[in-house]
């Protein structure tokens, strides 16, 4: 999709004032990374990374690392579980480094989320402050943004996982850091995320939330975490005419 494809708002009958209101009140947009910006594990699946981490843990961790049901293929859930079992340990630090290495490898084959790059560029051109707030490694985010030519739009405002996994979302630590570095208040910011953890972290700080859910399996958890249906989109493309509406004073 090109910019010329979205200037005719009559082609977008589902456009609502709810989304325009979210962006109209915002000066800063905080993006989760895996999902809203790219599909990080498209070429290097998260399930495979989790399996490798479990093998590593079996060799190095005294006991089994138990994750919540349904999270066995989630490497972040595995890291969080290890941190709860062995807080502040060298083992957890090494596991986090192992995960960072895998995420860096994944960035080489990560696929952009459709129209996310165009949305980001148009937000930057419109004067919005932009930041990434993610549970992924900051190094991995920077690697991807540099590969795709988006790094200048975010500058120093990349806020990823800290060595202490307990600070991962839904803890609001990375959002709080983003507000600090961008000089933004919660009320003038907008978080775009695809998980319940994103929604809860934003809610903790009073940051308005916009959900990205490609299907009902993603929409349900967002809804249960407090996201409103009218503030959940299935594609980044839906947000492009919202920027047109603001630019043309249609709302």
């Amino acid at each position: 999709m090109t910019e010329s494809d979205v200037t005719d708002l009559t082609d977008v009958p589902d456009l609502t004032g709810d989304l325009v209101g979210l962006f109209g009140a915002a000066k800063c947009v905080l993006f989760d990374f895996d999902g809203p910006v790219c599909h990080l594990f498209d070429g290097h699946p998260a399930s495979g990374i989790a399996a490798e981490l479990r093998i590593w843990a079996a060799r190095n961790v005294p006991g089994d690392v138990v994750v919540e049901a349904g999270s066995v293929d989630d490497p972040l859930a595995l890291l969080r579980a290890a941190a709860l079992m062995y807080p502040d340990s060298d083992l957890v630090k090494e596991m986090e480094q192992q995960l960072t290495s895998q995420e860096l490898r994944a960035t080489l084959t990560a696929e952009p989320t459709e129209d996310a790059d165009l949305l980001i560029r148009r937000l930057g051109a419109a004067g919005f402050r932009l930041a990434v707030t993610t549970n992924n490694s900051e190094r991995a985010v920077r690697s991807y943004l540099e590969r795709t030519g988006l790094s200048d739009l975010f500058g120093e405002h990349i806020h990823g996982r800290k060595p202490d996994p307990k600070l991962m979302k839904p803890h609001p630590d990375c959002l709080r850091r983003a507000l600090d570095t961008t000089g933004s208040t919660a009320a003038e910011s907008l978080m775009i995320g695809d998980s319940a953890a994103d929604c809860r972290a934003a809610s903790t700080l009073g940051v308005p939330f916009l959900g990205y859910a490609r299907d009902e399996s993603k929409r349900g958890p967002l809804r249960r975490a407090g996201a409103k249906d009218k503030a959940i989109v299935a594609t980044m493309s839906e947000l492009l005419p919202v920027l047109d509406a603001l630019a043309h004073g249609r709302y």
Side-chain angles (χ1 to χ4, degrees), residues 114-218:
E114 184 178 4
D115 283 328
D117 55 346
L118 180 54
L119 175 67
I120 289 166
R121 292 183 190 282
R122 292 190 60 187
L123 286 169
F128 286 85
R129 307 165 199 146
L130 302 178
V132 173
T133 50
T134 177
N135 284 344
N136 297 120
S137 163
E138 178 181 325
R139 290 173 59 198
V141 177
R142 290 193 182 281
S143 175
Y144 174 83
L145 295 178
E146 288 170 5
R147 178 169 74 82
T148 55
L150 296 172
S151 57
D152 287 348
L153 292 166
F154 290 94
E156 65 181 284
H157 310 302
I158 310 299
H159 300 284
R161 183 176 63 241
K162 287 291 189 182
D164 182 358
K166 294 191 296 295
L167 295 178
M168 292 194 298
K169 291 174 291 185
H171 193 288
D173 173 71
C174 63
L175 278 75
R176 185 175 288 119
R177 285 184 276 131
L179 297 183
D180 287 344
T181 66
T182 59
S184 305
T185 66
E188 67 186 13
S189 301
L190 174 64
M191 171 76 191
I192 300 179
D194 69 340
S195 71
D198 294 327
C199 185
R200 289 172 182 144
S203 177
T204 297
L205 296 184
V207 174
F209 181 77
L210 172 62
Y212 167 62
R214 289 189 287 177
D215 52 43
E216 186 59 32
S217 69
K218 297 287 286 186

Side-chain angles (χ1 to χ4, degrees), residues 86-104:
Y86 306 102
D88 304 317
S89 68
D90 290 339
L91 286 170
V92 174
K93 292 177 183 177
E94 188 170 346
M95 181 182 281
E96 194 279 329
Q97 292 169 1
Q98 295 278 339
L99 177 54
T100 294
S101 296
Q102 294 284 358
E103 289 174 337
L104 282 166

Side-chain angles (χ1 to χ4, degrees), residues 53-66 78-79 81-83 85-86 89-95:
L53 286 178
R54 287 197 300 274
I55 292 171
W56 179 89
R59 294 171 178 165
N60 294 277
V61 176
D64 291 335
V65 178
V66 180
L78 191 64
L79 178 62
M85 293 177 64
Y86 306 102
S89 68
D90 290 339
L91 286 170
V92 174
K93 292 177 183 177
E94 188 170 346
M95 181 182 281

Side-chain angles (χ1 to χ4, degrees), residues 25-37:
K27 296 180 181 178
C28 177
V29 180
L30 312 178
F31 282 89
D32 180 42
F33 178 58
D34 181 25
V37 175

